[in-house]
């Protein structure tokens, strides 16, 4: 699965780890995150992320 990085703060979403702080379990591809999901660090939307 592809990792995506936040173009604002550099946070990386890694599907192998999920996003424990947001109750996103491991194994969820970036594309499957909710449309209103936002970066846990800077709260940018999914449109600010790009594939690593
Ligand atoms: Zn960010």
């Amino acid at each position: 699965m592809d990792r995506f990085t936040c173009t604002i703060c550099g946070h990386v979403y890694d599907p192998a780890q999920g996003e424990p702080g947001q109750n996103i379990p491991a194994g969820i591809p970036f594309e499957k995150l909710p449309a209103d999901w936002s970066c846990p660090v800077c709260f940018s939307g999914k449109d600010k992320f790009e594939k690593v």
Side-chain angles (χ1 to χ4, degrees), residues 8-33:
I8 306 299
C9 75
H11 175 75
V12 174
Y13 177 75
D14 184 352
Q17 298 186 8
E19 203 68 81
Q22 296 178 319
N23 293 320
I24 305 289
I28 304 294
F30 184 80
E31 293 83 353
K32 298 289 189 185
L33 292 172

Side-chain angles (χ1 to χ4, degrees), residues 6-11 39-44 49:
C6 177
T7 58
I8 306 299
C9 75
H11 175 75
C39 176
V41 178
C42 72
F43 309 109
S44 296
F49 277 71

